[in-house]
Amino acid sequence: ISRANVSGAVAGNEIRMGQKTSAGALFCTLLKQEGVKGGATSCVATTPPLVDSASLPIVQVSPGTEDKRLAKGQTLDPLAPGAYNIIKVANGAKLVLAGGDYSVRLIELRKGAQLLCSAACHISVLERVRVGERSELGPVPPLDATGVRLDIKGEGQFPAFRALKGSTVAANVYAPGDGVWLGQNGNYTGAFVGENVLVFPGATIEA
């Protein structure tokens, strides 16, 4: 959508770029442009399908039964790796993962919440991840976005990964069978893979 900036590559069978958007490189079979502001303006030639869906790893998740629900302003540091049912972090609350492997049914961050990994973590999610307005999902320095991975199967009516207005995400997000939405005026660092990837106005993506 308009005024979105991607410093790295964008790849897809079809790419649509709104007004005043930019991207470092484009790989596609069909490009629709409404007036870009910089970077690549044409697609590197590709042969469809750009990605063979049969070759993509299948996301398999076995969530647990225990919920982790943080109240407004609460902090939990650290949460041990394991299988959980629902993780919900209320307004202004902070949850720090110790690192390792996590299996979860769904994750929801409310406004201004934080979900951080203090060491390399791999989070497998059955249904969806929602990052609320001005919330943060990512690493604790000096760990960077490469140390945080989310594999999302995606079940239900909502996109598998949805980051709302003004959110900050530093992670590799993999949702090959569902949608990835990167919200308005947010800052996103890492790789974002989905059946459909929607970047809202004013969002900035850095590979």
Side-chain angles (χ1 to χ4, degrees):
I1 302 181
S2 61
R3 305 189 313 280
N5 301 305
V6 181
S7 66
V10 178
N13 289 330
E14 179 179 324
I15 296 175
R16 178 179 178 181
M17 300 182 69
Q19 294 183 2
K20 298 181 180 179
T21 56
S22 66
L26 301 172
F27 298 85
C28 63
T29 56
L30 178 61
L31 176 63
K32 297 180 180 180
Q33 293 177 313
E34 298 177 4
V36 298
K37 73 174 184 180
T41 57
S42 61
C43 275
V44 175
T46 57
T47 301
L50 183 64
V51 177
D52 181 2
S53 59
S55 69
L56 294 174
I58 298 173
V59 177
Q60 297 179 328
V61 188
S62 297
T65 57
E66 179 184 2
D67 290 348
K68 287 296 179 181
R69 300 174 185 264
L70 273 64
K72 182 177 180 179
Q74 184 181 359
T75 296
L76 176 58
D77 182 3
L79 177 65
Y84 299 92
N85 184 40
I86 295 173
I87 292 180
K88 286 194 175 183
V89 186
N91 293 8
K94 179 179 180 180
L95 175 61
V96 180
L97 305 184
D101 294 327
Y102 296 81
S103 295
V104 185
R105 184 163 71 86
L106 68 85
I107 296 174
E108 182 173 333
L109 309 183
R110 305 302 291 179
K111 184 182 292 186
Q114 292 178 292
L115 176 60
L116 306 175
C117 292
S118 60
C121 61
H122 181 194
I123 308 169
S124 299
V125 182
L126 180 62
E127 294 184 6
R128 66 184 186 275
V129 176
R130 180 186 186 274
V131 182
E133 290 187 21
R134 298 191 298 278
S135 291
E136 180 181 1
L137 189 158
V140 175
L143 190 68
D144 62 21
T146 61
V148 181
R149 173 159 177 162
L150 287 93
D151 289 349
I152 310 168
K153 184 175 182 181
E155 292 185 352
Q157 59 180 324
F158 298 105
F161 184 87
R162 181 170 53 154
L164 302 187
K165 182 178 179 180
S167 55
T168 299
V169 177
N172 290 330
V173 176
Y174 178 72
D178 212 324
V180 174
W181 289 13
L182 304 179
Q184 182 178 355
N185 297 327
N187 290 291
Y188 307 102
T189 304
F192 300 90
V193 179
E195 183 176 22
N196 299 288
V197 179
L198 184 59
V199 182
F200 283 80
T204 299
I205 303 176
E206 184 175 352

